[in-house]
Amino acid sequence: MRAVVYESFGGQPEVREVADPTPTRDGVVIGVRATGLCRSDWHGWQGHDSDITELPHVPGHELAGEVHAVGGDVTRWRVGDRVTVPFICACGRCASCVAGDQQVCSAQTQPGFTHWGSFAEHVAIDHADVNLVALPPEMAYSTAAALGCRFATAFRSVVAQGRARPGEWVVVHGCGGVGLSAVMIAAALGAQVVAVDVNPAALDLAKQFGAAVALEAHPDVVSAVREATDGGAHLSLDALGHPVTASNSVLSLRRRGRHVQVGLLPSGPTPLPMDRVIGWELEILGSHGMAAHAYGPMMDLVASGALRPDLLIARTIDLAEAASALAAMDRSTAAGMTMIKP
Ligand SMILES: [Zn+2]
Ligand SMILES: [Zn+2]
């Protein structure tokens, strides 16, 4: 099969013929029809996940496609099924999985990180009965691929962890893929959304996707947020993952407000205004992907047209273009998602 491969962290990725993957006994191989280019892929290429990633490596974790080969112990799936997967693939057996919390599985695998990913014609997914999600017949592969990482993560952060309600003020700090998804989801729930970003193009998209207020990030953006939200938000998300946006998100809240950390932060402590957390009884929550079994309500809202992840896709490229686009991500500030068709 053809795949985007890199031999060293930070080394030039290139398209190459490599061996086809084979399914494990309870796994499948999926023929990739669409796969998103995500900043996490760039972090992986830079070696920020070198503790779990072996070289040479194939990146890619936001995928949809058709089941191509099935292991002997798989019961729910057959060749030809149209599917997607969460970017966190669960084991189905650990204590978290048994409790229904596959998104924090202690034995999780992540395509494009713990094994070869989906910037390829085929990708192997283990524990298929736990991890595959069927696509409604009318859903395009590119739309489904747009769900896998950023949209599903945003959905869980706004709906399950953030508990956004109609009429509430919801602030989204950082309007990349996950932030724009959160804006769209919170607005669809009837919340009043304030979008914050440094990039005016991202703020324009946020307004298109339902943000009531768009604020350019500046050193005193917290004051602007508090003014726009009548004294502070009910719910605020750090969708970027930076100590400054994390702290700003907490300081954006009204009393008893809820902060959800969605953007990934470097390992180690991040300073947060804990005096405010105590004095105002704020909630500090994390959100990490979404389990395959929790996709139903999100898929229904997408199928009904209430949520439009397809509108987040700004451009579609092929594998060769993906190799150069991955390496260029540190220099690019392009708004919206990039979709790859292998
Ligand atoms: Zn991603
Ligand atoms: Zn597990």
Side-chain angles (χ1 to χ4, degrees), residues 90-98 102 105-108:
C91 76
R93 297 188 193 100
C94 72
S96 294
C97 282
V98 169
Q102 286 83 351
C105 171
S106 59
Q108 63 190 254

Side-chain angles (χ1 to χ4, degrees), residues 113-327:
F113 298 96
T114 59
H115 64 283
W116 282 13
S118 52
F119 289 7
E121 290 176 294
H122 296 122
V123 63
I125 299 291
D126 215 353
H127 309 301
D129 285 337
V130 179
N131 294 309
L132 267 51
V133 177
L135 304 189
E138 68 281 4
M139 188 180 288
Y141 286 120
S142 54
T143 304
L147 300 174
C149 161
R150 290 166 281 184
F151 202 85
T153 296
F155 191 86
R156 179 167 165 78
S157 69
V158 170
V159 176
Q161 298 296 82
R163 313 188 304 277
R165 287 186 289 267
E168 283 191 334
W169 282 106
V170 175
V171 184
V172 178
H173 294 267
C175 292
V178 74
L180 287 174
S181 303
V183 166
M184 183 186 285
I185 292 158
L189 289 174
Q192 307 177 86
V193 182
V194 179
V196 182
D197 201 279
V198 291
N199 179 358
L203 291 176
D204 284 345
L205 286 175
K207 277 195 246 171
Q208 278 178 43
F209 298 150
V213 181
L215 297 173
E216 216 164 313
H218 57 81
D220 196 27
V221 74
V222 166
S223 300
V225 168
R226 303 187 67 79
E227 198 170 318
T229 56
D230 196 22
H234 301 84
L235 169 64
S236 183
L237 276 59
D238 172 15
L240 178 67
H242 187 280
V244 171
T245 43
S247 179
N248 282 351
S249 176
V250 173
L251 293 171
S252 298
L253 295 171
R254 63 180 58 199
R255 292 166 194 267
R256 303 264 298 159
R258 314 176 295 277
H259 161 78
V260 183
Q261 187 64 40
V262 193
L264 298 173
L265 288 156
S267 57
T270 298
L272 288 179
M274 294 305 281
D275 53 336
R276 179 71 64 86
V277 172
I278 294 167
W280 287 17
E281 287 198 344
L282 306 179
E283 287 182 59
I284 307 289
L285 300 151
S287 195
H288 190 240
M290 188 165 81
H293 70 76
Y295 268 51
M298 178 179 73
M299 295 301 252
D300 291 346
L301 288 168
V302 174
S304 77
L307 293 177
R308 294 288 307 276
D310 54 308
L311 297 180
L312 298 166
I313 302 167
R315 66 201 69 79
T316 301
I317 60 177
D318 63 20
L319 278 184
E321 291 168 309
S324 25
L326 175 65

Side-chain angles (χ1 to χ4, degrees), residues 38-41 61-62 149-150:
C38 175
R39 183 150 291 271
S40 299
D41 299 310
H61 59 279
E62 307 183 349
C149 161
R150 290 166 281 184

